[in-house]
Amino acid sequence: MRVSCWRSLPTCGLQSTLFQLRDLKAVGKKFVHVMYPKKSSALLRDWDLWGPLVLCVSLALMLQGGSADSKEDGGPQFAEVFVIIWFGAVVITLNSKLLGGTISFFQSLCVLGYCVLPLTVAMLVCRLVLLAGSGTVSFIIRLIVVIAMFAWSTLASTAFLADSQPPHRKALVVYPIFLFYFVISWMILTFTPQ
Amino acid sequence: MLRQGSSDDIEDVSLFDADDEVSRRSKKSKIRHPVASFFHLFFRVSAIVVYLLCELLTSSFIACMVTIILLLSCDFWAVKNVTGRLMVGLRWWNQVDDDGRSHWKFESRKVSAQGHKTSSESESRIFWLGLITCPIIWVIFAFSALFSFKVKWLAVVMMGVVLQGANLYGYIRCKVGSRKNLTSMATSYLGKQFLRQCHGVVP
């Protein structure tokens, strides 16, 4: 399809808008694959980083206003969440590549980024629960939701990433992923609005 | 319409080829894709402008950061997928095989036999000007943020450097073809520029 577009330039304009819809559909399909993790090639073959960017920005936005002693409007916190997510994903990817994984750098970033989706949903739920009140009951509800979504994230990303490793090294790959989502879940659970 | 004297020029889709174009200058200086040229520069320049003026425009750091991130992402997508293809006929992408190995592909458009699909010189200039100067500006911002200890801006600036640097690297690879050609191309470009200066001086 792209080769024929290349020859006859006038149709390229139309195809570039079609590409945009196709890109959006691909991103949506990947979200669905994360929520129902089966062994599929969509996340791995056609990787893209738009979904992780959107999730990262929305998670960082929702984690605002939570620190009791920040003088500015949560500025450094936003950048911190951003850096934690992206730097953590890069470190995990490097770790899995050094352990001899067959997955490529950007594919791994793509999977880790997309699997932040359950935790973003957990953050949304937590914020809604905190609107209702912030007592013990709300804490227990938030704890259950965050634990469930953390387990979902870890299992989803492990399902995609662990297969690319040799069998005796799977635990070495899964452990950093576990830590990564644990840190994000911790940030979500300890969020208290001012 | 093929000109026998300069058939080499038609085959060679070179950016720096400015010889023997007196009669074709009117055609080549026309901008064929004004919308693409506008957006090519718009996202990059507005990201830089927002970064510089953020303290004046709004007191919210987050709004600035999110705006700059959105502009950088739109710019990356537009330059990689649309304006490079339309303005200079180059494209690059990543492809994953069935066995999971990824390959980076760099392509440049071959000129068809009619010869009317060559890229215009002014569009080419706009493209490369925007592509080269903006990453340099972001690198300057990175150093200034680092040395003035404004660490909270480092995340945004690094993102700017990475995204725009990636596009710059991709298109240079498309243009050059392989790494060995880069030094020879740079030498020939400098040589041609020097000769053009000499021609310009002599009336």
Side-chain angles (χ1 to χ4, degrees):
Chain A
M1 280 175 288
R2 276 192 180 179
V3 173
S4 63
C5 158
W6 204 240
R7 277 259 154 209
S8 57
L9 208 53
T11 58
C12 268
L14 182 62
Q15 282 211 320
S16 68
T17 44
L18 286 179
F19 281 155
Q20 199 175 10
L21 289 176
R22 200 182 70 177
D23 287 340
L24 283 176
K25 273 200 199 146
V27 170
K29 219 166 71 160
K30 288 193 190 73
F31 279 138
V32 171
H33 278 291
V34 167
M35 295 314 274
Y36 301 105
K38 290 183 301 202
K39 194 76 183 87
S40 82
S41 61
L43 262 176
L44 291 175
R45 293 278 308 274
D46 310 316
W47 60 268
D48 74 78
L49 295 177
W50 297 112
L53 182 71
V54 165
L55 288 173
C56 186
V57 168
S58 49
L59 189 62
L61 280 175
M62 285 196 280
L63 276 169
Q64 287 317 300
S67 171
D69 56 351
S70 71
K71 294 180 188 50
E72 297 157 352
D73 61 337
Q77 246 179 331
F78 185 90
E80 276 167 16
V81 172
F82 221 77
V83 166
I84 284 174
I85 291 181
W86 285 102
F87 189 66
V90 166
V91 165
I92 294 176
T93 307
L94 283 177
N95 173 61
S96 79
K97 285 200 81 70
L98 286 172
L99 284 172
T102 59
I103 204 169
S104 92
F105 182 77
F106 288 105
Q107 284 173 315
S108 173
L109 278 186
C110 170
V111 168
L112 289 167
Y114 271 101
C115 290
V116 172
L117 176 66
L119 287 170
T120 311
V121 170
M123 183 70 219
L124 198 61
V125 170
C126 284
R127 280 218 90 146
L128 292 173
V129 167
L130 280 169
L131 281 178
S134 54
T136 316
V137 173
S138 97
F139 176 74
I140 291 177
I141 296 176
R142 283 186 290 133
L143 183 68
I144 293 173
V145 167
V146 168
I147 288 179
M149 293 299 164
F150 159 69
W152 199 336
S153 280
T154 311
L155 287 172
S157 62
T158 314
F160 290 112
L161 288 179
D163 278 346
S164 62
Q165 294 290 332
H168 55 282
R169 292 222 169 125
K170 283 204 171 47
L172 282 172
V173 169
V174 170
Y175 176 63
I177 299 177
F178 174 89
L179 270 184
F180 176 63
Y181 290 122
F182 182 77
V183 166
I184 299 179
S185 316
W186 185 258
M187 283 198 295
I188 293 174
L189 191 58
T190 57
F191 172 79
T192 47
Q194 275 176 318
Chain B
M1 173 121 170
L2 278 176
R3 288 174 33 174
Q4 284 156 344
S6 58
S7 56
D8 290 337
D9 290 341
I10 294 177
E11 292 303 314
D12 179 25
V13 189
S14 163
L15 159 72
F16 308 124
D17 183 23
D19 320 323
D20 297 334
E21 279 192 351
V22 178
S23 60
R24 286 191 291 157
R25 189 165 297 160
S26 57
K27 272 193 233 164
K28 281 207 148 189
S29 64
K30 192 175 62 154
I31 295 183
R32 280 201 203 98
H33 307 104
V35 178
S37 312
F38 170 71
F39 276 111
H40 174 76
L41 292 176
F42 171 69
F43 289 130
R44 325 198 121 212
V45 171
S46 49
I48 291 177
V49 164
V50 169
Y51 178 78
L52 287 173
L53 298 182
C54 61
E55 252 119 64
L56 299 172
L57 287 174
T58 169
S59 60
S60 161
F61 166 79
I62 293 171
C64 282
M65 188 161 167
V66 171
T67 312
I68 296 176
I69 287 173
L70 281 176
L71 286 170
L72 285 173
S73 317
C74 290
D75 163 71
F76 179 80
W77 184 87
V79 172
K80 181 176 178 298
N81 291 323
V82 179
T83 65
R85 191 167 41 90
L86 290 179
M87 289 167 82
V88 287
L90 301 171
R91 63 181 179 179
W92 59 282
W93 73 97
N94 176 269
Q95 206 168 301
V96 178
D97 286 342
D98 286 336
D99 54 352
R101 288 188 339 172
S102 82
H103 302 277
W104 292 95
K105 305 258 189 233
F106 303 94
E107 276 187 11
S108 67
R109 178 174 57 201
K110 288 191 196 31
V111 183
S112 59
Q114 287 85 23
H116 64 285
K117 298 295 187 201
T118 56
S119 50
S120 77
E121 197 180 304
S122 50
E123 268 191 356
S124 191
R125 274 213 184 105
I126 294 175
F127 180 79
W128 288 102
L129 194 69
L131 196 71
I132 293 177
T133 55
C134 289
I136 295 177
I137 296 178
W138 281 107
V139 169
I140 296 174
F141 286 158
F143 279 115
S144 84
L146 200 59
F147 291 135
S148 61
F149 298 112
K150 282 195 271 181
V151 182
K152 68 178 181 177
W153 286 109
L154 261 184
V156 174
V157 175
M158 287 318 298
M159 197 172 156
V161 169
V162 165
L163 286 179
Q164 305 210 333
N167 257 328
L168 178 66
Y169 177 73
Y171 280 114
I172 289 184
R173 279 287 296 269
C174 286
K175 192 77 203 167
V176 169
S178 72
R179 290 207 186 96
K180 286 186 273 259
N181 289 342
L182 186 61
T183 42
S184 63
M185 209 188 72
T187 330
S188 74
Y189 170 63
L190 287 172
K192 275 189 186 167
Q193 284 293 85
F194 179 66
L195 284 175
R196 243 203 318 176
Q197 295 294 329
C198 291
H199 280 301
V201 166
V202 175

